[in-house]
């Protein structure tokens, strides 16, 4: 495990292949400031290609996920004098930088949403590979109610939900409770005990080979970005790389001998 940078707005812990990032601004309901985004980026840059990191779990402190972007970063800009347009765009683009980085991370990204995922928090949940939520959590894109555009999160939410549902949520400011979020495809698992649900998800991730998971994420990320013929050619290359690699040799060998591949030795806690 590489040495992680010291951070205070995003707390980190690493245990048995799982890196947990905890948004740590409880006084601001874990709103995402630019400083918090900088710290998150610094941590993820270190681990994004490290196969020892099987999962990245994102959650919030004090039992709340994230209330969105911190408007204090933009409060002095809105309606004031002659703002530097380039700087405004740079500040907003920082959210997209994090989304792209999480998409590019080989580890499985799991969001654990408690109470609320609003605005940028909605985007952060949407970028995750697996979303776990408590039954009473609320999800909303509230930017337009403030006279703003959900510029960086709209493409991410649309990627997960589809363009029309994402647009409807954006231009109505509608709030989804967890049951509706499950129906919409935003939440994968609704659970009273989110920690127990998380443990079950992590056990499943540990049964999967880390390089195979990373390659699968890269392949899925290309959907919609190239013609089908090119995509299938790319998929064939990814399969070839995998089956000629060490993981497939160990995995297929374990299957044929009814054994356990090395990456799954502790997945069920009994091997």
């Amino acid at each position: 495990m590489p040495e992680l940078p010291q951070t205070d707005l995003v707390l980190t812990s690493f245990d048995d292949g799982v890196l947990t990032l905890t948004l740590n601004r409880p006084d601001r309901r874990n709103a995402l400031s630019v400083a918090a985004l900088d710290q998150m980026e610094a941590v993820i840059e270190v681990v994004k290609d490290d196969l020892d990191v099987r999962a990245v779990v994102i959650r919030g402190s004090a039992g709340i996920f994230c209330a969105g972007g911190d408007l204090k970063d933009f409060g002095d800009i809105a309606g004031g004098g002659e703002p530097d347009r380039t700087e405004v765009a740079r500040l907003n683009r920082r959210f997209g930088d994090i989304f792209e980085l999480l998409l590019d991370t080989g580890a499985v990204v799991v969001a654990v949403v408690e109470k609320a995922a609003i605005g940028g928090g909605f985007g952060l949940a949407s970028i995750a590979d697996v979303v776990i939520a408590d039954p009473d959590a609320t999800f909303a894109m509230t930017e337009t109610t403030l006279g703003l555009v959900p510029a960086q999160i709209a493409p991410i939410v649309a990627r997960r939900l589809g363009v029309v549902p994402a647009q409807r949520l954006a231009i109505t400011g509608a709030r989804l409770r967890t049951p509706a979020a499950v129906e919409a495809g935003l939440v994968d698992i609704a659970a009273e005990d989110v920690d127990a649900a998380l443990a079950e998800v992590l056990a499943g991730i540990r049964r999967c080979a880390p390089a195979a998971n990373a390659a699968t994420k890269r392949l899925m990320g290309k959907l919609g970005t190239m013609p089908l013929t090119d995509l299938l050619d790319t998929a064939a290359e990814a399969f070839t790389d995998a089956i000629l690699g060490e993981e497939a040799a160990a995995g297929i060998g374990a299957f044929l001998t009814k054994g356990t591949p090395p990456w799954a030795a502790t997945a069920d806690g009994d091997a």
Side-chain angles (χ1 to χ4, degrees), residues 92-225:
N92 180 252
R93 186 62 172 82
R94 293 295 292 122
F95 288 85
D97 293 340
I98 294 296
F99 297 150
E100 287 189 295
L101 189 57
L102 288 170
L103 281 176
D104 193 43
T105 297
V108 180
V109 178
V110 183
V112 180
V113 178
E114 297 174 275
K115 288 189 180 176
I118 308 298
F122 194 136
L124 197 57
S126 297
I127 206 69
D129 300 303
V130 183
V131 180
I132 301 168
D134 74 60
D136 297 320
T138 300
F139 300 80
M141 300 168 70
T142 57
E143 286 83 354
T144 55
T145 69
L146 301 170
L148 300 173
V149 174
Q152 299 298 308
I153 73 170
I156 302 305
V157 176
R159 174 180 176 271
R160 187 169 186 105
L161 303 184
V163 173
V164 173
Q167 178 172 295
R168 177 182 63 81
L169 292 174
I171 63 177
T172 64
R175 292 177 177 263
L176 298 180
R177 299 294 289 273
T178 295
V182 170
E183 185 177 353
L186 172 61
V187 171
D188 300 295
I189 301 167
E192 290 280 358
D193 187 340
V194 294
D195 291 312
L198 174 61
E200 185 173 349
V201 168
L202 294 177
I205 292 169
R206 292 188 179 103
R207 283 190 285 269
C208 302
N213 267 357
T216 298
K217 286 188 59 175
R218 286 194 296 271
L219 179 61
M220 293 293 194
K222 294 180 178 5
L223 292 173
T225 67

Side-chain angles (χ1 to χ4, degrees), residues 15-160:
D15 180 57
D16 195 17
V18 178
L19 174 65
T20 300
L21 306 180
T22 303
L23 305 178
N24 188 40
R25 303 185 71 212
D27 57 318
R28 299 287 296 165
R29 303 180 75 227
N30 298 321
L32 293 167
S33 64
V34 171
L37 293 174
D38 288 343
Q39 291 187 11
M40 182 179 291
E41 181 180 50
V43 172
I44 299 170
E45 280 284 5
V46 172
V47 305
K48 69 183 181 72
D49 297 318
D50 189 338
L51 295 179
D52 288 332
V53 181
R54 310 283 294 278
V56 175
V57 176
I58 304 174
R59 60 192 316 171
S61 61
I64 183 171
F65 185 65
C66 179
D70 193 339
L71 293 178
K72 283 190 173 183
D73 284 336
F74 294 93
D76 295 334
I77 297 174
E82 298 180 0
D84 183 337
R85 290 184 59 89
T86 300
E87 178 63 10
V88 173
R90 186 192 70 80
L91 288 175
N92 180 252
R93 186 62 172 82
R94 293 295 292 122
F95 288 85
D97 293 340
I98 294 296
F99 297 150
E100 287 189 295
L101 189 57
L102 288 170
L103 281 176
D104 193 43
T105 297
V108 180
V109 178
V110 183
V112 180
V113 178
E114 297 174 275
K115 288 189 180 176
I118 308 298
F122 194 136
L124 197 57
S126 297
I127 206 69
D129 300 303
V130 183
V131 180
I132 301 168
D134 74 60
D136 297 320
T138 300
F139 300 80
M141 300 168 70
T142 57
E143 286 83 354
T144 55
T145 69
L146 301 170
L148 300 173
V149 174
Q152 299 298 308
I153 73 170
I156 302 305
V157 176
R159 174 180 176 271
R160 187 169 186 105

